[in-house]
């Protein structure tokens, strides 16, 4: 099956009304895309950020006439629309289309992260099988890659690990594959826990990873605590997260823009001896040892 895909640029005030109108006249899906280069890093919980210049993209079945759709929209919105584009979108195996962009990745010469069917089995390495799914975290983003590099560079033998804000569970799964005795994965999103449990099964370690919503997690101290979230929640939760680290245990923080590192470090230095930030692109990792 093929589809008509129409897109048009507008501002953040018109975009929601335009999206609703596309749906009213028969669009099967409507999405927003940044029309420029203005990334949004930290929306509030439940908040949808719309860029000042937004492309609104609508998908219609072939029975619709693209010219009539455009005419109807322009009649409804007298101004504020520009840069119309049209494309006939051919059907494909969408669930596998990501494979053109997601290839095996190696961290610290010890850990492979691979999509299904492309597993690597080099001597002296471990392979984590992971496909994009319901929750964030495949290793392609610098925030996750920085944590995977840390894990693959340290001896995790028989360690207990907490993955705070687990997303897909990639860090918890990697820790166990690299030798940790067990990992405890926490996230506010039930879909993240579903993804973590599925990835634990896919990697044959379901009995060594336990998942929790925050309200169901009873705090305890672990040898290694990973928190790959964002700067503001890292700062707000600094006392709670620091408290999860056992004396002389390791703390790894990520999801931090380079310019945010001093503020995050300040929140943790009362309890954690942090090293210098480790940077990748616009992002950095902070890691250190819990003071005795």
């Amino acid at each position: 099956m093929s589809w008509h895909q129409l897109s048009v640029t507008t501002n953040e005030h018109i975009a929601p009304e335009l999206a609703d109108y596309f749906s009213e006249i028969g669009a099967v899906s409507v999405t927003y895309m940044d029309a420029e280069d203005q990334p949004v890093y930290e929306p509030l919980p439940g908040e949808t950020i719309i860029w000042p210049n937004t492309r609104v993209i609508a998908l219609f079945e072939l029975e619709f006439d693209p010219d009539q759709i455009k005419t109807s929209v322009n009649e409804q919105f007298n101004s504020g629309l520009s840069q119309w584009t049209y494309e006939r979108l051919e059907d494909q195996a969408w669930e596998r289309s990501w494979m053109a962009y997601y290839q095996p990745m190696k961290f610290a010469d010890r850990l492979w992260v691979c999509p299904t069917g492309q597993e690597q089995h080099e001597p002296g390495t471990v392979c984590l099988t992971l496909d994009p799914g319901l929750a964030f975290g495949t290793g392609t983003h610098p925030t996750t890659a920085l944590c995977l590099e840390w894990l693959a560079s340290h001896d995790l033998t028989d360690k207990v690990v907490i993955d705070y804000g687990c997303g897909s569970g990639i860090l918890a799964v990697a820790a166990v594959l690299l030798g940790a005795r067990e990992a405890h994965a926490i996230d506010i999103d039930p879909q993240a826990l579903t993804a973590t449990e599925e990835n634990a099964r896919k990697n044959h370690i379901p009995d060594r990873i336990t998942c929790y919503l925050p309200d169901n997690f009873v705090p305890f101290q672990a040898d290694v605590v990973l928190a790959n979230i964002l700067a503001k929640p890292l700062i707000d939760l600094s006392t709670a997260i620091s408290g999860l680290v056992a004396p002389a245990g390791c703390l790894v923080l990520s999801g931090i823009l380079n310019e945010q590192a001093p503020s995050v470090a300040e929140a943790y230095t009362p309890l954690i001896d942090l090293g210098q930030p480790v940077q990748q692109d616009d992002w950095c990792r902070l890691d250190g040892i819990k003071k005795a």
Side-chain angles (χ1 to χ4, degrees):
M1 186 173 183
S2 301
W3 312 85
H4 297 305
Q5 179 177 280
L6 291 91
S7 69
V8 60
T9 297
T10 187
N11 61 53
E12 72 269 34
H13 305 295
I14 296 175
E17 186 178 349
L18 175 59
D20 289 344
Y21 187 70
F22 272 134
S23 296
E24 288 174 11
I25 63 175
V28 295
S29 74
V30 183
T31 57
Y32 298 130
M33 181 177 292
D34 183 8
E36 295 181 350
D37 185 18
Q38 299 176 334
V40 175
Y41 293 119
E42 296 195 49
L44 296 172
E47 180 182 19
T48 299
I49 298 294
I50 302 177
W51 300 273
N53 289 289
T54 298
R55 288 202 71 74
V56 181
I57 305 166
L59 208 63
F60 289 86
E61 294 178 348
L62 286 185
E63 65 190 62
F64 288 83
D65 184 334
D67 291 331
Q68 289 183 358
I69 294 169
K70 183 176 177 181
T71 298
S72 178
V73 170
N74 283 328
E75 289 175 351
Q76 181 74 12
F77 299 88
N78 296 322
S79 62
L81 307 181
S82 64
Q83 298 177 315
W84 278 94
T85 66
Y86 166 75
E87 180 182 358
R88 178 166 171 153
L89 204 62
E90 300 301 327
D91 201 8
Q92 57 182 293
W94 299 103
E95 71 277 8
R96 304 300 288 175
S97 62
W98 52 266
M99 290 189 70
Y101 308 98
Y102 178 35
Q103 301 296 321
M105 296 169 287
K106 193 177 186 182
F107 299 92
D109 292 325
R110 189 171 168 225
L111 171 68
W112 282 100
V113 176
C114 303
T116 300
Q118 299 187 51
E119 293 84 356
Q120 305 293 314
H121 300 290
E122 289 183 350
T125 68
V126 298
C127 182
L128 190 164
T129 303
L130 188 93
D131 298 326
L134 293 172
F136 174 82
T138 60
T140 57
H141 195 275
T143 59
T144 309
L146 286 163
C147 293
L148 291 169
E149 284 284 346
W150 188 95
L151 287 169
S153 302
H154 287 76
D155 182 6
L156 303 179
T157 304
D158 210 34
K159 303 291 187 184
V160 175
V161 174
I162 292 176
D163 182 0
Y164 199 97
C166 60
S168 68
I170 184 172
L171 301 182
V173 172
V176 171
L177 293 177
L178 288 164
R181 181 167 76 249
E182 60 190 51
H184 300 263
I186 306 158
D187 206 288
I188 61 174
D189 185 354
Q191 286 191 331
L193 304 186
T194 298
T196 298
E197 290 169 347
E198 174 58 28
N199 286 322
R201 283 192 293 271
K202 186 176 294 184
N203 287 276
H204 314 294
I205 51 170
D207 57 332
R208 294 169 64 189
I209 295 180
T210 307
C211 297
Y212 314 82
L213 292 169
D215 289 346
N216 299 330
F217 177 68
V218 178
F220 67 93
Q221 293 191 323
D223 303 301
V224 177
V225 175
L226 306 149
N228 178 21
I229 41 181
L230 289 168
K232 187 178 186 304
L234 283 174
I235 292 170
D236 292 344
L237 295 167
S238 59
T239 299
I241 291 173
S242 296
L244 297 174
V245 187
C250 297
L251 176 64
V252 181
L253 306 172
S254 192
I256 307 163
L257 291 167
N258 292 329
E259 61 267 26
Q260 297 171 330
S263 298
V264 176
E266 183 180 2
Y268 284 85
T269 49
L271 293 174
I272 310 292
D273 284 321
L274 292 171
Q276 291 299 309
V278 179
Q279 297 182 351
Q280 183 175 331
D281 299 333
D282 295 331
W283 301 88
C284 70
R285 181 191 76 221
L286 291 168
D287 57 80
I289 305 297
K290 177 76 169 283
K291 298 175 183 177

